[in-house]
């Protein structure tokens, strides 16, 4: 029986929904789903209710993670416009600043109002991470260049955006980017079949454009799930919210792609471990290991996941590998589907130099 061992995944883009929408997920169920998927640390987005945009909301989120997380974690700060003082005061407590330039789930859309000023003043050490549709990407690249900011483009909407990002890199702009598993393993054809369960921002693309993502894989720094759970009732309502869960499916989808020869395992490790640590300047969690049993390829199921929302858009897709155990901070935290530590075992990620 083949067993694969590696330090674990760092998923830099998750929405664990707490506080505010724990019918979809909470910090405990979300980080437990992470362990089930071989993820030992998550970076949580700020589009909560209330949003994570000031000291009280950040303190509350830190408190909840300290109580409930079973993986390590980092927290993004959000911004909706107005006073930039909270950004200056809180920058060193967060993994980055998340800006929603374009429309998505939640109330954090800022558009381009005050955008330049934010690029001017953000002190780091984390990068500015942006939710930007293709039309906004040139704008943020230009601002990153002008103000010498480190920019991270979340869930790149289109493979042509990778070319713009690469051109900026060649000019010396410090820009990195992530692509989601759903943009690599699902297409518009799946979206038609899945209806609301295949609806997310940015939307899925035609198969030919998905193929271009794969051709341009060398331009991608990170694969991150954008784990964005919503309940089935919400998805089946007249106005379904955008977003799909993904914490438990990224690793088996990637392992199958490795098995097919679409990319190497060394490259996967860069995308899910080395580059996340480098981009967010994080010290790796101590003494971690994920063990995966490889055996035969299988098809992912539509239901039966640890995420509270309970469903996956990847049902029917080929996968390889099942997480056997996870060690974190020297202790086995997950084995054969059993959680072996209490809520609160996870620690905040720390910034390195
Ligand atoms: C995300 C969500 O539901 O929070 N939805 C999505 O479609 N990706 C928000 C986001 O990441 O834009
Ligand atoms: Zn997101």
């Amino acid at each position: 029986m083949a067993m694969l061992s590696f330090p674990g995944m760092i998923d830099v883009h998750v929405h664990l929904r707490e506080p505010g929408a724990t019918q979809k997920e909470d910090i405990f169920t979300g980080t437990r789903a992470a362990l089930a998927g071989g993820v030992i640390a998550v970076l949580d987005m700020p589009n909560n209710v209330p949003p994570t945009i000031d000291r009280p909301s950040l303190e509350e989120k830190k408190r909840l993670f300290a109580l409930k997380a079973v993986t390590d974690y980092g927290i993004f700060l959000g911004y909706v416009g107005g006073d930039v003082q909270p950004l200056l005061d809180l920058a060193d407590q967060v993994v980055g600043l998340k800006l929603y330039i374009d429309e998505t789930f939640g109330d954090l859309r800022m558009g381009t109002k005050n955008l330049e000023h934010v690029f001017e003043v953000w002190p780091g050490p984390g990068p500015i991470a942006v939710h930007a549709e293709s039309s906004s990407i040139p704008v943020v690249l230009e601002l990153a260049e002008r103000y010498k900011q480190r920019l991270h483009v979340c869930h790149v909407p289109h493979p042509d955006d990778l070319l713009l990002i690469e051109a900026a890199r060649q000019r010396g702009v410090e820009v990195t980017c992530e692509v989601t598993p759903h943009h690599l393993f699902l297409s518009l054809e799946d979206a038609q079949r899945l209806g609301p369960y295949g609806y997310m921002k940015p939307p899925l693309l035609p198969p030919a454009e998905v193929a271009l993502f794969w051709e341009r894989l060398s331009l991608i720094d990170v694969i991150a799930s954008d784990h964005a759970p919503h309940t089935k009732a919400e998805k089946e309502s007249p106005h379904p919210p955008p977003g799909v869960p993904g914490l438990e499916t990224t690793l088996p989808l990637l392992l199958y792609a490795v098995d097919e020869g679409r990319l190497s395992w060394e490259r996967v490790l860069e995308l899910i471990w080395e580059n996340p640590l480098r981009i967010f300047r994080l010290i790796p969690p101590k003494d971690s290991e994920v063990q995966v049993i490889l055996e035969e390829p299988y098809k992912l199921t539509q239901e039966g996941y640890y995420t509270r929302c309970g469903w996956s858009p990847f049902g029917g897709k080929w996968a390889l590998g099942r997480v056997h155990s996870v060690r974190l901070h020297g202790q086995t935290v997950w084995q054969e589907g059993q959680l072996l530590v209490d809520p609160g075992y996870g620690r905040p990620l720390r910034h390195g130099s």
Side-chain angles (χ1 to χ4, degrees):
M1 186 169 63
M3 186 81 102
L4 175 76
S5 161
F6 70 107
M9 303 172 69
I10 310 238
D11 193 329
V12 306
H13 190 148
V14 306
H15 303 262
L16 298 191
R17 305 303 195 199
E18 189 170 2
T22 51
Q23 79 282 7
K24 302 174 196 282
E25 191 82 283
D26 67 35
I27 291 166
F28 174 69
T29 60
T31 52
R32 189 182 52 176
L35 291 179
V39 174
I40 60 153
V42 294
L43 307 192
D44 189 54
M45 289 295 170
N47 61 335
N48 294 84
V49 186
T52 318
I53 52 171
D54 52 19
R55 194 180 292 277
S57 53
L58 179 61
E59 285 304 323
E60 176 63 358
K61 199 180 247 193
K62 283 166 64 178
R63 187 183 72 81
L64 291 165
F65 267 88
L67 273 178
K68 300 183 74 171
V70 291
T71 63
D72 284 6
Y73 55 89
I75 296 171
F76 277 99
L77 186 65
Y79 175 74
V80 271
D83 189 7
V84 294
Q85 194 58 43
L87 310 188
L88 309 181
D89 295 343
L90 303 172
D92 61 348
Q93 299 182 42
V94 294
V95 286
L97 175 66
K98 176 71 185 286
L99 300 178
Y100 291 86
I101 318 287
D102 293 294
E103 192 62 49
T104 188
F105 180 70
D107 304 324
L108 277 179
R109 182 175 180 189
M110 65 171 293
T112 48
K113 178 182 65 196
N114 226 17
L115 187 60
E116 178 157 358
H117 189 46
V118 173
F119 271 81
E120 196 180 344
V121 301
W122 173 250
I128 296 179
V130 291
H131 176 115
E133 296 294 348
S134 297
S135 56
S136 303
I137 287 182
V139 179
V140 286
L141 288 172
E142 218 272 308
L143 287 174
E145 182 164 18
R146 190 177 317 157
Y147 293 103
K148 303 205 183 331
Q149 279 291 359
R150 293 200 307 125
L151 175 69
H152 180 71
V153 179
C154 298
H155 42 48
V156 172
H158 192 279
D160 286 349
D161 300 322
L162 293 173
L163 303 179
L164 284 183
I165 290 168
E166 177 59 14
R169 266 191 207 116
Q170 297 300 329
R171 294 199 301 275
V173 182
E174 275 198 81
V175 55
T176 54
C177 68
E178 87 202 15
V179 171
T180 71
H182 42 271
H183 290 101
L184 291 172
F185 293 97
L186 299 177
S187 73
L188 207 49
E189 284 176 6
D190 298 292
Q192 278 150 10
R193 176 175 58 80
L194 290 162
Y197 295 99
Y199 168 52
M200 77 293 285
K201 305 272 188 174
L204 295 175
L205 296 173
E209 286 159 43
V210 175
L212 277 180
F213 264 134
W214 282 97
E215 273 177 38
R216 297 174 186 164
L217 205 65
S218 66
L219 305 180
I220 298 172
D221 301 284
V222 173
I223 292 178
S225 69
D226 189 13
H227 178 79
H230 297 286
T231 66
K232 287 188 212 168
E234 290 161 344
K235 279 297 200 182
E236 285 168 21
S237 70
H239 299 287
V244 297
L247 272 167
E248 293 163 76
T249 42
T250 308
L251 182 62
L253 288 165
L254 286 172
L255 285 172
Y256 184 72
V258 169
D259 198 48
E260 277 195 306
R262 302 183 84 176
L263 79 174
S264 69
W265 173 244
E266 288 66 36
R267 180 73 181 121
V268 171
L269 279 179
E270 284 173 14
L271 292 163
I272 62 169
W273 171 257
E274 291 161 28
N275 290 345
L277 290 170
R278 177 177 57 80
I279 293 166
F280 293 92
R281 298 194 172 155
L282 300 169
I283 299 171
K286 261 200 348 262
D287 196 356
S288 68
E289 182 186 24
V290 171
Q291 290 193 326
V292 184
I293 298 173
L294 290 173
E295 295 183 336
E296 293 302 309
Y298 60 96
K299 283 189 176 173
L300 290 170
T301 54
Q302 220 153 328
E303 309 213 338
Y305 293 91
Y306 288 90
T307 172
R308 178 165 287 153
C309 77
W311 57 275
S312 166
F314 296 105
K317 297 290 167 189
W318 282 104
L320 181 69
R322 298 185 191 272
V323 171
H324 167 73
S325 63
V326 181
R327 207 174 71 219
L328 181 60
H329 305 299
Q331 201 171 315
T332 302
V333 294
W334 181 265
Q335 190 156 21
E336 290 172 9
Q338 296 297 315
L339 180 69
L340 303 177
V341 290
D342 292 330
Y345 183 81
R347 302 181 191 172
L349 291 162
R350 306 240 171 258
H351 279 297
S353 47

